[in-house]
Amino acid sequence: MTDNRTSAPVALRDTFGRNFPYLRLSVTDVCNFRCQYCLPNGYQCASKPSFLSTEEIRRVVDAFAAMGVHKIRLTGGEPTVRKDFTEIARLVSSHPKIAKTAFTTNGYRLRDHAREWRDAGLSAINVSVDSLRADRFHRITGHDRFSEVLEGVEAALDAGFRDVKVNVVLLRGVNDDELPDYLDWARRTPISIRFIELMQTGENLEYFRTYHASADTIKAPLEKAGWTRATRCVDAGPAQVYTHPDYAGTIGLIAPYSKDFCAGCNRLRVTSTGDLRLCLFGEQGIALRHLLQEDEQQPLLRALIQDQLAYKCSSHFLALGNTGITPHLASVGG
Ligand code: SAM
Ligand code: SF4
């Protein structure tokens, strides 16, 4: 590593010409839900984990912001189980180079905290709502909190979140008959409902084999109902977005098994214990934590991140059954 590289790092770009303006930062592995495809037995921990402190989080943000990242999503596990979540939200969103701070949540605290989190500077939110039927929601997540979560989505809109997305993992024979209900919601409400194909992870092979459904099963009825594919903007994520003139909301399809999914990859990840993950399904984490202890380490930290980008692969190779070192998405921050 040369002196001029450490003092003036270039923006994040990999060997395939992809840029990375977006960081997903996991703040905890812990989750209180037991989603069947993610943590069916609930959160298990062998020893007390030590998640990044607010100071360490600030240094992660400083380094990535200096390298051109301008959007950060806080995720987990369930990020809002952290008692200092509001403080984290405030510190990330007040960074002068971070234009947008988003978070992904199962929504269990949203009804009562949406305004506080909006005031802390968060502007975009993804809430997971895998079914619009209370009994199914209960069965999928292990929690009888459907009404609360739905009220949380309303509270987020009332609090002034302008970018509200609802994540729905598409599950064959479980919720794949609910498109009309979700469309009805989108007709009345300015939300973006995104159907995500179930992904295979290290621990859910049987579940994946039984319940994976292709996003194409949604695409055909959607197009038949007059929805059209919106043009993709330059720094858009992997969702295929559909709009309809009669609807307040939009529909997105996230199809990780589709051919060109990774070509549009624009994100890097840092786990809750400070490992850089180049891909959701990568083969290794790159420890950054030892370089998060002093502000003076920033040049070294940026150089390490820059060097590691050379190893980012063109694709996740999920279609070949590769799940890397990811037992479930709670472990890396989906
Ligand atoms: N706990 C929060 C939540 O559920 O929204 C944030 C973390 S969760 C890992 C992030 C997103 O990943 C959620 O929308 C969840 O439904 C999705 N997810 C988890 N496991 C998945 C899998 N195997 N395939 C597809 N999506 C998955
Ligand atoms: Fe928890 Fe989210 Fe995983 Fe569900 S998907 S178990 S809410 S981390």
Side-chain angles (χ1 to χ4, degrees), residues 150-162:
L150 232 58
E151 285 170 32
V153 175
E154 286 304 322
L157 289 164
D158 289 346
F161 281 92
R162 289 283 159 265

Side-chain angles (χ1 to χ4, degrees), residues 37 75-78 104-106 128 167 169 197-199 204 329 334:
Y37 49 79
T75 183
E78 174 50 41
T104 304
T105 177
N106 62 26
S128 299
N167 287 355
V169 178
E197 268 185 34
L198 178 65
M199 290 176 258
N204 77 0
L329 295 201

Side-chain angles (χ1 to χ4, degrees), residues 24 30-31 33 35 37-38 74-79 104-107 126-130 167-169 196-201 204 256 281 328-331 333-334:
R24 289 201 170 183
V30 177
C31 185
F33 275 26
C35 298
Y37 49 79
C38 183
L74 301 174
T75 183
E78 174 50 41
T104 304
T105 177
N106 62 26
N126 285 19
V127 191
S128 299
V129 188
D130 287 336
N167 287 355
V168 185
V169 178
I196 306 172
E197 268 185 34
L198 178 65
M199 290 176 258
Q200 183 189 331
T201 59
N204 77 0
F281 297 102
H328 43 69
L329 295 201
S331 67

